[in-house]
Each structure stands twice: as structure tokens, then as C-alpha cells.
Amino acid sequence: MAVPIQTQLHVWLFVGFVSSVVGLLCYALSSSFNHLFGEWNLFKIFLYVIFSFIIFFMTLVAKVWQRSMSILFKTHMAILLLLATSVYSVFYDKAVNQKPDAYILISCAAFAVMSLSLSKQTQFGCEVDLLNFFLGCLMVLLMKRNMWLFFVGAGFSYSLIIISSWTDITPQSEDFELHDHLVIQVDSLRHQVPDKMHKLLDKNCEQIKSLLRMESKEVQKLGIWGMGGIGKTTAAKAVFHELSSQFDCICFLANVHEDSNRRGLNYACSRLFSELLGRDVDIDIDAPEIVPSNVMSILGNKKVLIVLDDVNSSEFVEKLIGARHDWLGAGSIVILTSRDRHVLMSARVDVIYEVEAMNFQDSLDLFSLYAFNQTHPETEYEELSKTAVSYAKGIPLALAVLGSSLQCKTKSAWESILNKLRMIPNPKIQEVMILSFNKLADAEKEIFLDIACFFEGRHIDQISRVLDACGFFADIGIKILLDKALITTDSHSCIKMHDLLQEMGRDIVYHESIENPEERSRLWNSPDVMDVLTNNRGTDAVESMFLDMTQIPNLHLSSYAFKKMPNLRLLAFDSGNSSMIKNHVSIPEGLELPANLRYLQWDGYPLNSLPSIRWEKLVDLSMPHSNLQKLWNGAQNMPMLKKIYLPFSTLLIECPDLSGSPNLESISFLGCESLGQFHQSIFTLQKLEELDVSGCTSLTSLCSKTCSPSLKRLYAVGCTNLQECSITTPGDQCKTHLYMKF
């Protein structure tokens, strides 16, 4: 078992101190000292004590002193004094024809051990010469005593020299060769990337290598970005293994965020330079943003490859690598992996590579490697394997965890485990996924959970305006979630969330109250929603409710089913975009809905009008294929309402007074074939950008002497009975696009 670096250094510190004490004490008692300085007196004792304390202090704090510019002078003065006295003693003994006594022999051996100890802790550049000198002196003194003692001295000297080279933890000059260290480090890393994965890693590895300019003399920084478990670290290890032979010094720091949080930035800096200069080096850096001069002198002419894995702070990178990274030699490369794209951008990387989920076939191959130790599933397990791969959705971590957990198990065990996954997520996968969530601010966590439990698949603009109304600063929050790879957007600007991340978010909410769904903040599971609604078990804990109406039988609700949920912000009865909506939900007149609603979607709404409620916070009203005949009587005060979406509400006969909703931006009456007239307030809405009356076959006139200056699009396609269309636009230039086709 390897001895930790700090333990080794403490041992050598103790050895150096003890050997210096023994050496100085024995030298003071030797006949050579008496011949050199005469008999002891108080003044000589005082001077020798002062000199001894200098030597003691040097052995104890040499590691700290080495950062001082004056330490070279201090050290060489002390060494010269030791050399002068030792040489003089040897020649004096010879002149008086006296054999050296035991004290001088012991002191010489002790000073040799002290020199060895110093070489373990410092980079002064003269410790080895000092060691060799004292060993030479010891050999001469032993032979003067007895020629046969030469073998004793030779054995002692050989042992110290072997120890010096065997445990050498410090490069002695900037020309120090690190080849042996590099071979050891690359070989150890090779085992961290299993051979069976090399083929599957080729794609990411080759794409990353193509982004690097290997012939360039500039220092390059590349970022590898993606969600947790997607394979960032594995890809970085593969690239590191491929490129390491082309560099003088290499370093792969795994889990730098975790280590720096637990042990401090100073530890991370020390770890980085220890890896670069030699595995057993420990460099103590009081100011992490200042690279020691001796490190700069060694690495400044070296081509260096550094990988910092799991970085979550650009300040961390700046302090660790330096804003100008001018201590790195020409052609050096720094690779950062992070779940946060913003961190990589702030760290000024030259290019960001996004690790994407694996395709189905590669996923099946990887899963099979872990489950069957081959690149294809066994025939009788093929369908079950595809089910497991579908669950993982191309995430290497999930494929590896699932494959390992299913290895050597029976078909019935496979079925049981996969069925369990539908209800309870795998904890090993969740541990990795939840790390990014835990680092979010409170508002960002709320946005993430709202998307996971309610908004996944909706347009980013819709989500932003609704969650802004909830006080979550959605534009900033969604940008952060995108940067952290917790959500993505598709080609239609709809928010997407990986199934495993959505599962994690829902599991977080589920554990708010395992036994009582009405005590959870968000409800999405159809049986739970039905239970809460039909049994009137709502509480003020419920903030959002999503009911998939394709998953339920006919549902009968009381008029006060929502009465106990005053904090309900988001409510959706969703038909899954089905054009054939059946009225699954039946409720009596007098329905009470919470006044706190920001978003209300009710596909196939069964009543002919909305409840008389002061919806002053409502932002988005969506009721396609509803039974509405009118929205409300008179003008309703809805100052935050921005969108009304009532397509194919075939019974709707009139558009109400909308003057109480001055912030309306979009209105759709698409396919409302009974709608025959509009209230004139619709054309006075100053922020209205889009109006769609296509398919309103009962509409005969579309006229107004005023019009919103913001109106950009007016759709009136298929209005077969429209006889008159006259809308006056303000200003000299008309910015409204009219789409009409009969």
C-alpha cells in the first residue's frame, strides 16, 4: 500500500531534524572539534548553540523557505560553514597523526542522513552534492580507523544513495526527465478505461481530437460539456490516453470540484503540480493564483497536457491554471469537463465539445458488454435488453449500471427489475443525476421541477411567460438549466428534458410525501390526480396538477374539487393533442377554480362558460375543443393575461369584452365556426401581435377603425362568409400581415 505524500514528508522532516541534532551534538564532543576550536567556554557554547539552531531551523522549515529568494544565500552559507569545518577537521587529524574518534564518525554519518532528508523536501539543487561529500568524508574517516571498516562505510553509503534515487520525489533541475512517471501514470489510467469500451469511445475521441490543433505552438483550452452520466469523463480519459505520449508532462485531475470543496483550493493546486512534476511531489502554495517560480522554470519549457475533470467554477480554473497560463510551455493543452456550459465560456475555452447521447445500436452494444460480456445480447434476452436500453435513453452511466445489475440473472429477475424501474428509479443513477440539481438556486430548482412535472415539451416562450408570473425569473433560470445540460431545446424551440432527468425531478417531488400525494407540491400521475380530485383531498401544498386524459375513464367532479387548493398555480387537463376529444370530465355548474392560477389548460372543457372568478394572475388560457359558448359576461379584470387559445370551440358564439386584459399578445379562435362577431375592444389591445380567426365560417364582418400598433399577423383563412374586411392601421406604414384564403 502506497504511503501518502504528506506522511512521507513528515517522516523525512523528523529524520532530518533528529540527524542534525545527533550530528551537531556528536561533532561538539569529538576530538576534531577540540583540535579546531580548543577547550569549551561560555562564548563558544553560545556561538555553537546559535549555529545549531540555524541548522535545526533549516531542516524544519526548508520547504517553506524554498519560495524565498534569499534562501539560496542562507543555505549555501550554512553548507559552506559545515564543509569548511569538516574539511579542516580531517586535515588537522591527519596533521597531528591522530585517528578520528567515534563522535566524528557518528556526526559525519548523521550529517549525510540530514542531507538525504533535505533532498526529499526541497529543490535547492545542492543537497545531493552535500550528501556525497559527507559520505566521502565518512569513508575516509573509517579507513583511517581501520581499512576493513571500508566495507561498512561502503554499505552505508550505498544504502543512502539507493534510498535517495529510489524515493526521489523532487526534480533537481528544469531538465529533469519525467518519462518514467509518465509511463506509470498512463498505464494506470489505461485500466480506468476498459478495453471493451475503446471501440465505443472512438467517435467522441476522434471528434475531440479534430478540434485540437496538435501542430500549434499556442496554449489551447478545450471544454467538454454535457449532462451528468453522459460520458464526459470517459471521453476525456480516452483523449488523454491517446495524446499523452506526445507531451512532456501530463496530469489528469479527476473530481476537482469535489476535492477542492472538501480539502480547499490550495490542495488542488498542490495536487496539480505534484502530478506534473512527479507523483510523489508535494508543493505547498499559500497563494494558489501565484505559480511558484521554481515550477515556472521547470514547466515553462515543457509541453504539458492537463485534464481538469468536473469543473464548476471559472474562478477555480483561473486560480488553478492562471488567466494567462503563461507558465505552460508552447503547444500545451488544457481540457476541462463540466456540466455547466457557462463555466466553460467564462473560462475562455477555445472550443466547447458537447457529448451527446449514444444512438440505440451503440447503446445496445455497450449494455451488452456489461450484461453479457459481449457486444450483442443473448437471443432469449434480446427483447428485455431492448427494453432496458430504451429506459437508459443513450446515457452510458445508466447503460453500465443497468447492465451490471442484470448480469447473470434469470429472465424473471430481469422482468422484475425492469418493472421496478417504472416505479422506482435506480439509486446509483440518481446519485449522479441529482448533483447538478443540488447546485441550483431555489428559483432554478422550482423551474426545473415545474418542467419535469408539467411543462416538458412546451414552447420556451410559453414556459417563460408563465413562470415569470410565478416570480421565478424564468429567462435567467431557463438559461442556467440549458447551460447545465439539465434541459435542451428542439428545432421548434420546445423545452426537452432527458427521461432520466425528468424521472429524477419527479422522484424528488414524490419523496415530499410518499404516502399522501395531496401533500406534494406537484401532481402528474393520473391515479394520484384522480384520487385527490374525486375524493376532495386537495391541500394548500399542491401548486401544479397535470392530468393526462387519455389515461383515465370518465371522471365526475364536484364543483368544489379545487376548493382546498388555494396555491394551485398550474392546471392542465391534457388530451395529448388529440383531435378527437371526448368529454371525459363532467362537472356541475358552479365550478370553483383557484384565483392563484397562472396557467389554465382544459382540453374539451365541458361547461358553456368560465367560472366568475377574479383571475388577476392568469397568464395563459387554453381550452381547445371546449363546449364554451362565451367566456364571461362584461369586462373581466385580467391584467396579466397574455394568451387566449380556444381553437375548435365550435359552440362559441361571441368574443367578450377584453378591455380588462391590456397585455394580451395572442388570441386564437381557429375553427370556431359559430363565432359571428367580435367585441371592438379586441382591436384596441395595444400589445396584441397575433389574431387568428381562420375557419370562423359564421363571421361576416371584420372591421375596425382602430387597430393595435403591435399587430403583426392576422389570419382569416377559410372564413367563407366573410363579406367585409376593413381594418385601419396607425401610422404611415402597415406592419400587419393579412393571411386570407376563401
Side-chain angles (χ1 to χ4, degrees):
M1 183 176 179
V3 180
I5 293 174
Q6 290 289 346
T7 302
Q8 294 183 43
L9 290 171
H10 291 155
V11 169
W12 283 116
L13 188 66
F14 176 77
V15 170
F17 178 76
V18 171
S19 59
S20 66
V21 172
V22 173
L24 289 167
L25 183 60
C26 289
Y27 187 70
L29 298 175
S30 69
S31 59
S32 296
F33 183 89
N34 290 332
H35 294 158
L36 181 63
F37 295 105
E39 295 294 327
W40 283 101
N41 57 43
L42 290 177
F43 180 71
K44 292 179 182 179
I45 293 174
F46 173 77
L47 290 179
Y48 196 79
V49 168
I50 296 298
F51 171 74
S52 299
F53 271 108
I54 292 174
I55 301 301
F56 297 159
F57 187 69
M58 182 186 71
T59 61
L60 289 174
V61 300
K63 188 169 180 293
V64 177
W65 279 17
Q66 89 173 349
R67 293 194 301 273
S68 169
M69 294 302 293
S70 61
I71 185 57
L72 293 177
F73 173 77
K74 298 173 185 176
T75 304
H76 285 96
M77 287 299 295
I79 290 171
L80 286 174
L81 185 57
L82 282 172
L83 294 180
T85 54
S86 299
V87 171
Y88 184 87
S89 297
V90 172
F91 281 100
Y92 190 90
D93 287 337
K94 183 177 180 181
V96 299
N97 200 22
Q98 179 177 328
K99 292 183 178 181
D101 59 13
Y103 287 117
I104 189 63
L105 294 175
I106 294 173
S107 67
C108 201
F111 287 143
V113 174
M114 182 190 73
S115 302
L116 174 63
S117 172
L118 287 175
S119 71
K120 301 296 108 182
Q121 305 175 59
T122 64
Q123 298 181 49
F124 298 149
C126 57
E127 304 87 2
V128 174
D129 293 335
L130 184 61
L131 171 63
N132 293 335
F133 172 82
F134 280 119
L135 290 176
C137 288
L138 179 62
M139 294 283 289
V140 172
L141 293 172
L142 287 172
M143 286 188 292
K144 289 170 65 176
R145 291 274 298 190
N146 190 315
M147 286 299 296
W148 291 105
L149 290 177
F150 164 81
F151 297 103
V152 176
F156 179 79
S157 300
Y158 179 78
S159 299
L160 259 60
I161 292 173
I162 288 297
I163 292 173
S164 176
S165 60
W166 178 38
T167 61
D168 193 8
I169 63 176
T170 310
Q172 304 303 319
S173 73
E174 67 182 46
D175 294 325
F176 183 81
E177 292 294 336
L178 297 172
H179 180 265
D180 291 339
H181 161 64
L182 301 185
V183 172
I184 292 172
Q185 190 173 31
V186 173
D187 287 345
S188 66
L189 187 64
R190 191 193 307 272
H191 296 295
Q192 298 179 38
V193 183
D195 290 337
K196 62 185 180 180
M197 292 183 65
H198 285 166
K199 178 182 177 182
L200 301 175
L201 294 174
D202 284 346
K203 178 181 177 182
N204 280 332
C205 185
E206 291 303 317
Q207 289 180 349
I208 292 172
K209 286 167 58 179
S210 70
L211 299 175
L212 297 170
R213 306 182 305 278
M214 297 306 298
E215 302 303 321
S216 174
K217 297 299 182 182
E218 297 179 356
V219 176
Q220 301 175 64
K221 286 198 293 186
L222 178 141
I224 301 178
W225 171 68
M227 63 178 284
I230 196 71
K232 301 181 298 297
T233 301
T234 305
K237 286 178 180 178
V239 174
F240 185 82
H241 172 65
E242 286 280 326
L243 301 181
S244 56
S245 61
Q246 303 177 41
F247 292 83
D248 302 318
C249 306
I250 61 174
C251 174
F252 189 108
L253 288 189
N255 302 316
V256 292
H257 168 61
E258 180 182 348
D259 279 351
S260 61
N261 276 352
R262 187 171 65 250
R263 304 185 184 183
L265 181 58
N266 194 65
Y267 170 81
C269 292
S270 178
R271 185 178 164 206
L272 172 64
F273 296 128
S274 297
E275 293 281 352
L276 289 174
L277 297 174
R279 185 169 290 279
D280 294 331
V281 174
D282 181 74
I283 301 176
D284 186 21
I285 303 172
D286 294 328
E289 66 275 9
I290 301 175
V291 180
S293 57
N294 59 327
V295 174
M296 294 183 68
S297 65
I298 295 172
L299 297 178
N301 297 318
K302 301 287 186 180
K303 186 178 179 181
V304 177
L305 173 62
I306 298 174
V307 176
L308 302 180
D309 176 48
D310 190 25
V311 175
N312 81 328
S313 167
S314 57
E315 291 79 11
F316 172 85
V317 177
E318 183 173 336
K319 289 183 177 181
L320 201 60
I321 302 298
R324 300 186 305 274
H325 41 71
D326 49 6
W327 58 275
L328 298 174
S332 294
I333 294 177
V334 179
I335 298 176
L336 314 174
T337 76
S338 180
R339 301 185 185 195
D340 194 336
R341 180 170 50 191
H342 179 71
V343 167
L344 298 177
M345 294 172 65
S346 299
R348 297 182 178 88
V349 298
D350 300 309
V351 63
I352 295 177
Y353 175 76
E354 179 180 358
V355 182
E356 297 180 348
M358 302 172 71
N359 61 43
F360 188 86
Q361 186 58 52
D362 286 344
S363 297
L364 185 60
D365 291 347
L366 180 59
F367 172 81
S368 299
L369 286 170
Y370 282 95
F372 307 106
N373 288 317
Q374 58 189 23
T375 57
H376 57 84
E378 295 179 3
T379 304
E380 59 180 322
Y381 287 89
E382 187 170 354
E383 291 305 316
L384 289 172
S385 296
K386 290 180 178 178
T387 300
V389 169
S390 297
Y391 170 83
K393 289 293 191 299
I395 301 300
L397 170 72
L399 293 164
V401 170
L402 289 179
S404 299
S405 66
L406 293 169
Q407 190 177 37
C408 300
K409 289 192 168 53
T410 63
K411 285 186 68 175
S412 60
W414 275 56
E415 292 170 352
S416 177
I417 291 173
L418 294 176
N419 287 332
K420 181 181 177 182
L421 283 176
R422 295 189 178 97
M423 300 297 296
I424 305 173
N426 185 286
K428 291 183 179 179
I429 299 174
Q430 294 295 300
E431 285 176 8
V432 176
M433 296 291 180
I434 204 169
L435 292 176
S436 295
F437 176 83
N438 289 337
K439 296 171 186 175
L440 298 174
D442 290 343
E444 294 151 14
K445 289 179 178 179
E446 296 294 330
I447 294 173
F448 177 85
L449 295 178
D450 276 344
I451 293 174
C453 301
F454 195 91
F455 280 124
E456 200 276 335
R458 308 296 178 100
H459 197 279
I460 189 171
D461 292 341
Q462 181 186 51
I463 298 174
S464 292
R465 65 171 173 261
V466 173
L467 295 185
D468 265 341
C470 296
F472 294 153
F473 307 99
D475 288 340
I476 298 174
I478 289 175
K479 176 65 166 59
I480 290 173
L481 296 184
L482 287 168
D483 284 342
K484 292 184 180 295
L486 290 170
I487 58 174
T488 59
T489 56
D490 63 13
S491 58
H492 301 290
S493 297
C494 292
I495 294 290
K496 296 294 182 180
M497 181 179 286
H498 192 279
D499 289 0
L500 293 179
L501 288 170
Q502 185 176 35
E503 187 178 75
M504 177 199 74
R506 292 182 171 185
D507 190 59
I508 291 170
V509 175
Y510 172 77
H511 280 87
E512 292 175 353
S513 179
I514 296 175
E515 298 295 333
N516 303 305
E518 69 275 8
E519 296 296 335
R520 301 173 199 155
S521 60
R522 295 158 178 87
L523 298 175
W524 67 92
N525 181 266
S526 296
D528 289 340
V529 174
M530 288 181 63
D531 177 54
V532 170
L533 289 178
T534 56
N535 295 307
N536 300 323
R537 293 174 56 189
T539 68
D540 57 5
V542 181
E543 296 182 26
S544 80
M545 181 178 288
F546 185 95
L547 178 61
D548 183 355
M549 295 198 294
T550 65
Q551 302 295 317
I552 65 170
N554 291 331
L555 180 62
H556 301 277
L557 301 180
S558 67
S559 60
Y560 45 88
F562 299 95
K563 187 172 184 180
K564 297 179 181 179
M565 294 181 274
N567 294 320
L568 189 66
R569 299 180 288 112
L570 313 172
L571 175 62
F573 286 75
D574 187 85
S575 66
N577 296 320
S578 173
S579 60
M580 298 298 293
I581 296 179
K582 299 179 181 179
N583 291 326
H584 292 286
V585 183
S586 61
I587 52 178
E589 296 291 337
L591 173 68
E592 297 182 22
L593 290 174
N596 196 52
L597 282 173
R598 270 72 161 189
Y599 179 86
L600 174 58
Q601 174 192 348
W602 198 320
D603 298 353
Y605 179 71
L607 301 182
N608 57 23
S609 66
L610 293 177
S612 299
I613 297 174
R614 294 176 61 87
W615 279 335
E616 297 182 356
K617 298 180 180 179
L618 189 66
V619 175
D620 211 311
L621 176 63
S622 177
M623 290 185 171
H625 300 273
S626 72
N627 286 339
L628 286 169
Q629 296 180 12
K630 61 179 179 179
L631 286 173
W632 52 73
N633 294 316
Q636 288 282 348
N637 184 32
M638 297 184 179
M640 297 181 68
L641 187 62
K642 293 188 176 182
K643 182 176 182 179
I644 294 177
Y645 186 69
L646 304 174
F648 304 105
S649 296
T650 57
L651 301 180
L652 188 67
I653 58 176
E654 67 177 39
C655 170
D657 185 349
L658 297 174
S659 59
S661 305
N663 290 305
L664 267 170
E665 298 174 356
S666 176
I667 301 174
S668 176
F669 294 118
L670 172 66
C672 295
E673 56 190 35
S674 299
L675 185 63
Q677 59 181 350
F678 289 99
H679 194 279
Q680 285 298 307
S681 60
I682 197 170
F683 294 107
T684 64
L685 299 171
Q686 297 299 299
K687 296 183 180 180
L688 185 66
E689 297 179 2
E690 181 176 283
L691 175 62
D692 190 352
V693 296
S694 298
C696 295
T697 55
S698 298
L699 190 64
T700 59
S701 175
L702 191 61
C703 299
S704 176
K705 295 182 179 180
T706 60
C707 181
S708 168
S710 302
L711 189 63
K712 298 177 182 177
R713 295 172 296 277
L714 174 59
Y715 299 92
V717 178
C719 298
T720 55
N721 291 316
L722 186 63
Q723 299 176 5
E724 184 180 11
C725 181
S726 175
I727 299 176
T728 303
T729 58
D732 297 330
Q733 296 182 347
C734 177
K735 297 181 181 180
T736 303
H737 296 274
L738 179 62
Y739 300 89
M740 300 183 69
K741 184 178 181 181
F742 301 101

